[in-house]
Amino acid sequence: MISIRGLKKTYGRTEALAGIDLEVEAGELFAYLGPNGAGKTTTIRILTGLTRLSAGTAGLNGHDIEKQALAAKRQCGLVPQHINLDSELTVAENLDIHGRIFGMPKALRRERIGQLLGYVELSDRRDSLVKQLSGGLKRRLMIARALLHSPRILFLDEPTVGLDPGIRRRIWALVKRIQADGTTIFLTTHYIEEAEFLADRVAFIDRGRIVAVDSPAALMERMGAWAIDQVGDQGMETFYFTSRQEARDRAAGQQTEFTLRRVNLEDAFLALTGKRVK
Amino acid sequence: MMQACYAVFLREILILKRRLKRQIAGMAVSPLLYMIAFGYAMGDAVRFDGHTYLEFLVPGLVAMASMTQSFGIATDINVARFYWFIFEEFQAAPVSNAAYVTGEVLAGMTRGLLAVGVILAIGLGFGVVLDYGPLFWLAILLNSFVFASLAVGLAMLVKSHADQSLLTNFVITPMAFLGGTFFPVQRLPEWAGTLVRLLPLTHASAAIRATAFGKSPPAPAYGVLLATGAVFFWLALHAVNQARD
């Protein structure tokens, strides 16, 4: 569904993407995990036509993003990191304009606007001005807008950044539901738990390079199953174990304070890149 | 193409409608001050071709306002681009450059026409009634087309909102004062007259004023405006690609 070959992006001498190769299958929920500045947003911006690529090729559902740009854009919906709604227009007007720019006929626009507002639980705010909505409601409206023209692929760029935990979980449930309805989802995040909870597969990206691609479980298994965080002379040290008992045995002889926890994606990221995601 | 173009236009018009009272008030302030300060206060002391200065001034203000307000679409585009990121919504959609530019130019021209309506209404309040025939409106439409097209092109090329303000200060403001708005270009020294005739607004002012006074407009004016508008429109079409990173 998404095919990327040797994708590069340079800004002057700065290499934002250093040659990315990726395949995302239809119906997959694919997470792109990395720290700020790793190249996550640049990848999404190139795939959705907002930024020009410097080298390489990419296709969306078989349409080359450069040579068949308009056809490629019809395949996807985009929820960018920042709110980009028309604050002086109403909820319904924002959706209506989006439907028009995607060439949707009037009857279909009406039907889909009604459906999508129900889907994101905004039916009662249909005639509210966007500037009257909270951050979480705006984010849900942006998801509804991106889905209005029934895209095959949904790009979500840090969809829950800046939202409080309760709203974040509602967005996660919505994203799962969108995937269950058959949409391929490409999501960037720097929240470990978001990638772990949502993704079928995760790509770790660091300094414009992909360092690993696998399922969250497989990536974490590389490290073991349990971890002990311990403050030592060298600062925080983490030790990995295949079983809880093995970890407890190790902890039993320790004089210093420690934390026993399950291995997470950040451990795998740290092992591969030498740095933390956040 | 048509539906996307209409969507771009409709978005601007819906926003204009929401701000209509503020927008009309803003459009009325400068012309009102000019009419009081330069027109009304002078009374019959200054006359051109048998017309009072107020009668001379109103067509000039019409030309100036159709230029500045049509060019004002650049500010709206830049706010949408740099502050609200709404331009990305169009960039990520299957909207051709032609559809986007046409929609924004039509929105700019609509703003220009609205401003002209405001000035004519204020002029009427000052007792100025001139001849507003089809050639008068054609000159206004062409003038709006020229500056709305220029605005869209420049809005795509600038890298920040501050750049846009600089362009307005260095391009539009001098033209507003030198383009035959407040004085007859014929009174300038020959070299200065030749220079200001290079400005599209000078031709728009001449055509708008002549038709408003019931005279035949200078023949080349419409051709100059149409050709300039076509060039700016073509530049705008190509400038849209420059707005991508």
Side-chain angles (χ1 to χ4, degrees):
Chain A
M1 185 57 74
I2 303 173
S3 181
I4 303 173
R5 292 272 171 278
L7 190 66
K8 288 187 181 181
K9 178 65 185 176
T10 51
Y11 294 98
R13 287 182 162 186
T14 308
E15 199 169 45
L17 293 179
I20 301 278
D21 292 292
L22 265 184
E23 290 289 336
V24 178
E25 301 300 324
E28 199 173 12
L29 203 162
F30 190 90
Y32 212 40
L33 182 71
N36 289 331
K40 304 187 299 291
T41 296
T42 303
T43 307
I44 280 201
R45 286 182 66 85
I46 290 173
L47 293 176
T48 53
L50 303 182
T51 296
R52 272 176 288 204
L53 53 81
S54 303
T57 58
L60 302 177
N61 198 22
H63 301 280
D64 187 282
I65 59 163
E66 289 287 306
K67 294 175 189 151
Q68 301 160 292
L70 295 188
K73 286 175 181 181
R74 281 193 194 95
Q75 308 304 314
C76 59
L78 168 66
V79 180
Q81 198 175 133
H82 41 255
I83 303 290
N84 73 337
L85 296 162
D86 263 309
S87 59
E88 290 186 77
L89 301 187
T90 65
V91 166
E93 284 169 345
N94 268 275
L95 295 176
D96 185 63
I97 295 290
H98 180 90
R100 286 173 189 271
I101 65 176
F102 273 85
M104 294 169 69
K106 187 177 179 181
L108 181 60
R109 280 201 313 273
R110 250 188 214 168
E111 184 192 330
R112 289 286 293 161
I113 289 172
Q115 277 174 4
L116 263 304
L117 286 177
Y119 197 70
V120 298
E121 299 169 45
L122 278 174
S123 299
D124 56 334
R125 305 304 297 268
R126 185 187 179 96
D127 297 317
S128 300
L129 288 175
V130 165
K131 62 184 170 190
Q132 295 165 342
L133 302 183
S134 66
L137 295 185
K138 283 178 183 167
R139 193 71 67 178
R140 271 152 56 188
L141 174 58
M142 283 169 66
I143 292 173
R145 186 182 63 176
L147 290 172
L148 190 74
H149 58 283
S150 308
R152 304 288 302 276
I153 308 164
L154 180 65
F155 289 99
L156 298 168
D157 191 5
E158 306 268 6
T160 61
V161 72
L163 299 179
D164 64 49
I167 295 171
R168 184 175 297 163
R169 288 191 173 272
R170 284 186 78 172
I171 300 276
W172 288 357
L174 183 59
V175 170
K176 280 281 191 193
R177 205 172 143 199
I178 294 164
Q179 186 200 14
D181 288 344
T183 307
T184 304
I185 298 176
F186 188 102
L187 169 144
T188 75
T189 184
H190 64 268
Y191 293 129
I192 299 294
E193 63 280 17
E194 189 160 284
E196 279 179 18
F197 180 76
L198 289 175
D200 297 320
R201 282 196 304 150
V202 177
F204 287 160
I205 179 168
D206 183 42
R207 286 180 287 184
R209 292 173 203 279
I210 290 184
V211 291
V213 184
D214 216 327
S215 67
L219 286 166
M220 289 188 287
E221 269 174 27
R222 296 182 189 191
M223 306 305 302
W226 292 88
I228 288 181
D229 293 323
Q230 193 170 17
V231 181
D233 297 339
Q234 308 296 316
M236 176 77 81
E237 288 181 283
T238 304
F239 304 95
Y240 299 101
F241 307 93
T242 49
S243 69
R244 187 185 175 105
Q245 189 55 50
E246 195 186 339
R248 289 175 76 118
D249 292 346
R250 161 72 187 249
Q254 300 299 314
Q255 301 294 316
T256 52
E257 203 174 312
F258 64 89
T259 307
L260 175 64
R261 61 172 175 80
R262 278 205 169 272
V263 163
N264 62 32
L265 273 178
E266 180 143 42
D267 296 311
F269 191 89
L270 183 65
L272 286 162
T273 66
K275 65 171 83 157
R276 295 190 176 276
V277 177
K278 290 177 192 172
Chain B
M1 149 90 186
M2 286 300 290
Q3 203 182 0
C5 168
Y6 182 66
V8 175
F9 173 73
L10 180 65
R11 176 187 162 267
E12 296 285 1
I13 297 307
L14 285 172
I15 294 170
L16 181 66
K17 199 174 132 193
R18 275 273 129 90
R19 302 176 185 162
L20 195 60
K21 284 180 190 163
R22 278 179 287 159
Q23 199 85 40
I24 287 176
M27 287 170 173
V29 173
S30 295
L32 193 61
L33 292 174
Y34 287 134
M35 282 193 220
I36 292 169
F38 300 135
Y40 210 44
M42 285 190 194
D44 284 346
V46 179
R47 294 186 79 87
F48 293 116
D49 296 335
H51 293 278
T52 64
Y53 186 65
L54 197 55
E55 287 170 340
F56 179 88
L57 185 62
V58 168
L61 290 177
V62 163
M64 186 173 83
S66 58
M67 172 185 74
T68 53
Q69 291 300 326
S70 298
F71 190 81
I73 195 72
T75 304
D76 287 352
I77 293 172
N78 275 313
V79 170
R81 189 175 155 207
F82 295 121
Y83 293 122
W84 302 115
F85 306 104
I86 294 157
F87 180 60
E88 290 181 359
E89 166 78 348
F90 295 110
Q91 280 184 304
V95 177
S96 66
N97 291 2
Y100 177 74
V101 170
T102 307
E104 292 290 6
V105 166
L106 287 174
M109 291 172 70
T110 305
R111 284 172 54 125
L113 286 174
L114 180 64
V116 168
V118 170
I119 289 171
L120 294 183
I122 296 171
L124 194 65
F126 281 84
V128 177
V129 180
L130 299 167
D131 188 350
Y132 305 130
L135 283 177
F136 171 84
W137 290 105
L138 180 61
I140 290 168
L141 280 174
L142 286 172
N143 193 40
S144 301
F145 172 60
V146 168
F147 289 100
S149 300
L150 177 65
V152 176
L154 292 178
M156 295 293 104
L157 294 175
V158 296
K159 300 292 179 203
S160 70
H161 196 57
D163 291 349
Q164 185 68 48
S165 302
L166 273 179
L167 283 169
T168 305
N169 289 340
F170 284 103
V171 179
I172 297 301
T173 307
M175 199 154 5
F177 284 90
L178 298 174
T181 315
F182 296 103
F183 57 87
V185 173
Q186 298 81 346
R187 299 256 176 126
L188 289 172
E190 199 177 321
W191 66 269
T194 307
L195 279 179
V196 298
R197 281 188 192 89
L198 295 174
L199 307 174
L201 185 66
T202 308
H203 298 277
S205 299
I208 291 167
R209 187 167 285 127
T211 52
F213 288 168
K215 295 175 184 171
S216 295
Y222 294 86
V224 169
L225 291 173
L226 185 61
T228 313
V231 170
F232 287 160
F233 189 84
W234 183 82
L235 289 172
L237 286 178
H238 289 81
V240 176
N241 291 335
Q242 301 302 313
R244 290 168 80 197
D245 292 343

